[in-house]
């Protein structure tokens, strides 16, 4: 079904100058960019976004990495957008990511893993609302 997902190109991907290459993969897979903005997240914005991971041992490193430079945040829309985007990203740990996936091609480590994507339709709705008011989402 037609879905939306929240996608973030992390500071490592932005620093590598591969925003366009990654957007091209989204478009070729049938995902449309219906909202986008660049942001340098504050500590509290990053902590709030990743609140579900607050008790995990990697939380501090995750927040510190996500605030280390600008990120590119987008809403993608398409058939089965959540799973399509997750397939394009590959496994969380780039060492385990299948060849040809974004993480296999651009990521260095489980923290600097190039992209974030919502893990389900309900999470996507929450994550999209965290960054974009509906007035900034342009479905067409
Ligand atoms: P992301 O999809 O942005 O969601 C949480 C992030 O935590 C994840 O990608 C990884 O970059 C990072 N992370 C670091 N260590 C782990 C771990 N052991 N398991 C899951 N995520 C991890």
């Amino acid at each position: 079904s037609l879905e939306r997902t929240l996608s973030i190109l992390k500071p490592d991907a932005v620093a590598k100058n591969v925003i366009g290459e990654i957007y091209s993969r989204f478009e070729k897979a049938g995902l449309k960019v219906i909202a986008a903005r660049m942001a340098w997240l504050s500590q509290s914005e990053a902590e709030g976004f990743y609140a579900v991971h607050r008790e995990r041992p990697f939380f501090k490193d995750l927040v510190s990495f996500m605030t280390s430079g600008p990120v590119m945040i987008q809403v993608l829309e398409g058939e089965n957008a959540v799973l399509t985007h997750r397939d394009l990203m590959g496994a969380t740990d780039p060492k385990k990511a299948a060849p040809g996936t974004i993480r296999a091609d651009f990521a260095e480590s489980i923290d600097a893993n190039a992209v974030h994507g919502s893990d389900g339709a309900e999470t996507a709705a929450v994550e999209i609302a965290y960054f974009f008011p509906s007035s900034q989402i342009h479905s067409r």
Side-chain angles (χ1 to χ4, degrees), residues 2-7 23 26-27 30-37 72-78 81 128 132-140:
L2 192 65
E3 286 178 347
R4 292 175 179 183
T5 192
L6 193 279
S7 164
Y23 270 40
F26 295 157
E27 292 172 351
L31 298 174
K32 280 184 179 177
V33 177
I34 61 167
R37 70 181 170 95
M72 190 71 192
I73 312 168
Q74 46 283 329
V75 179
L76 305 175
E77 186 177 75
I128 290 168
F132 297 99
S134 14
S135 64
Q136 289 173 16
I137 300 173
H138 303 285
S139 187
R140 75 272 182 217

Side-chain angles (χ1 to χ4, degrees), residues 21 32 39 42-43 49 83 93 98 114:
E21 281 196 49
K32 280 184 179 177
S42 67
Q43 181 164 327
F49 181 73
L83 199 60
D93 182 350

Side-chain angles (χ1 to χ4, degrees), residues 56-97:
R56 307 285 290 273
F58 57 81
F59 183 70
K60 248 187 133 204
D61 286 346
L62 172 62
V63 169
S64 108
F65 178 67
M66 289 302 287
T67 57
S68 66
V71 296
M72 190 71 192
I73 312 168
Q74 46 283 329
V75 179
L76 305 175
E77 186 177 75
E79 279 299 312
N80 303 314
V82 172
L83 199 60
T84 301
H85 184 236
R86 292 187 74 76
D87 287 346
L88 291 172
M89 290 194 296
T92 306
D93 182 350
K95 292 195 290 286
K96 296 174 186 157

Side-chain angles (χ1 to χ4, degrees), residues 8 10 49-50 52-53 56-59 61-62 65-66 86 89 92-94 103 109-119 127:
I8 303 178
K10 296 188 180 187
F49 181 73
Y50 282 120
V52 294
H53 296 305
R56 307 285 290 273
F58 57 81
F59 183 70
D61 286 346
L62 172 62
F65 178 67
M66 289 302 287
R86 292 187 74 76
M89 290 194 296
T92 306
D93 182 350
R103 283 164 172 159
S109 69
I110 196 163
D111 287 302
N113 68 349
V115 270
H116 166 83
S118 308
D119 63 9
E127 292 184 351

Side-chain angles (χ1 to χ4, degrees), residues 5-23:
T5 192
L6 193 279
S7 164
I8 303 178
L9 308 188
K10 296 188 180 187
D12 56 324
V14 172
K16 277 188 178 160
N17 203 26
V18 292
I19 293 172
E21 281 196 49
I22 295 174
Y23 270 40

